[in-house]
Amino acid sequence: QGCHARDSRRPSIVDWDDLALVGRIARPHGLKGHVVVNLETDFPEERFSPGAEMFLRRRGRIEAVRVATIRFQKGRPVVSFDGIDSIEAVEALAGEELRIPLDRLKPLPEGSFYRHDLIGCRVELEDGTSVGVVSDVEVGRGGHRLVVDAPGKSPLLVPMASEICSVIDLTGRRIVIRPPVGLLELNERP
């Protein structure tokens, strides 16, 4: 599922699954091809600077796009891309993900993790009992939460607090949790 990225320096093969999510196009803004982006990054000024290249899937194909202009409105970027300059062109992009190659991510301080590193990790209790698998990471006012899926159960939201997530082993693709009383029961279906 690779494609050739349009890059004047050299063509390269891009695999969608090897790209990190940095934002989602929310909707058009104005009449000249600008879009509002919902952020999926802690580094918006770096990711959405003029000239920044990112990838999106349009009509089933992976395409490289380059940020032409950027301004922030109410904490969200309003972006235009080179060559995409009409409302008709950007209306079709609503909901599309914007991604960048993993090798463009900066190293994080110890105890911080990229979302894509956590997705797919097994979640287990300290005694080794399986809880499920991380399917997403939500960000809210109260902090980050792991969305943990288990067969036959509702998704469980696990706060990413050190008191609860006692071990995060990215190499072993597992997260050991020490849930507070009642947290696991929230996951039970009637």
Side-chain angles (χ1 to χ4, degrees), residues 159-182:
M160 285 201 60
S162 59
E163 312 80 54
I164 297 172
C165 297
S166 57
V167 175
I168 298 179
D169 174 11
L170 297 181
T171 304
R173 306 291 299 146
R174 73 184 186 108
I175 299 171
V176 177
I177 63 170
R178 186 181 312 125
V181 174

Side-chain angles (χ1 to χ4, degrees), residues 141-156:
R141 291 186 181 168
H144 293 69
R145 292 175 300 281
L146 300 173
V147 178
V148 181
D149 290 343
K153 298 184 178 185
S154 299
L156 176 67

Side-chain angles (χ1 to χ4, degrees), residues 99-129:
R99 295 186 176 203
I100 63 168
L102 297 177
D103 63 1
R104 292 189 194 159
L105 298 174
K106 61 172 46 173
L108 294 175
E110 190 170 329
S112 296
F113 307 93
Y114 281 111
R115 176 181 178 273
H116 66 272
D117 288 332
L118 299 171
I119 293 175
C121 286
R122 296 179 326 276
V123 177
E124 56 192 46
L125 300 176
E126 290 179 318
D127 66 4
T129 303

Side-chain angles (χ1 to χ4, degrees), residues 2 24 62 65 72 113 132 134 161 169-170 188:
R24 295 177 200 274
I62 301 171
V65 293
F72 285 84
F113 307 93
V134 177
D169 174 11
L170 297 181
E188 298 297 326

Side-chain angles (χ1 to χ4, degrees), residues 7-26:
D7 184 342
S8 59
R9 293 170 290 171
R10 60 181 156 74
S12 62
I13 302 292
V14 176
D15 185 336
W16 190 249
D17 294 329
D18 290 336
L19 300 172
L21 178 66
V22 294
R24 295 177 200 274
I25 297 175

Side-chain angles (χ1 to χ4, degrees), residues 8-85:
S8 59
R9 293 170 290 171
R10 60 181 156 74
S12 62
I13 302 292
V14 176
D15 185 336
W16 190 249
D17 294 329
D18 290 336
L19 300 172
L21 178 66
V22 294
R24 295 177 200 274
I25 297 175
R27 60 179 170 76
H29 183 82
L31 302 174
K32 297 185 179 181
H34 292 81
V35 293
V36 174
V37 175
N38 291 330
L39 292 172
E40 296 284 346
T41 178
D42 290 335
F43 311 105
E45 289 81 11
E46 179 180 324
R47 301 288 173 234
F48 292 94
S49 62
E53 181 186 59
M54 51 193 63
F55 296 86
L56 57 77
R57 274 200 290 210
R58 186 160 48 161
R59 296 185 287 277
R61 293 178 48 100
I62 301 171
E63 295 182 25
V65 293
R66 192 168 306 279
V67 174
T69 64
I70 172 76
R71 66 183 166 82
F72 285 84
Q73 182 175 329
K74 296 183 182 177
R76 294 194 309 178
V78 177
V79 178
S80 69
F81 299 106
D82 288 340
I84 304 175
D85 54 8

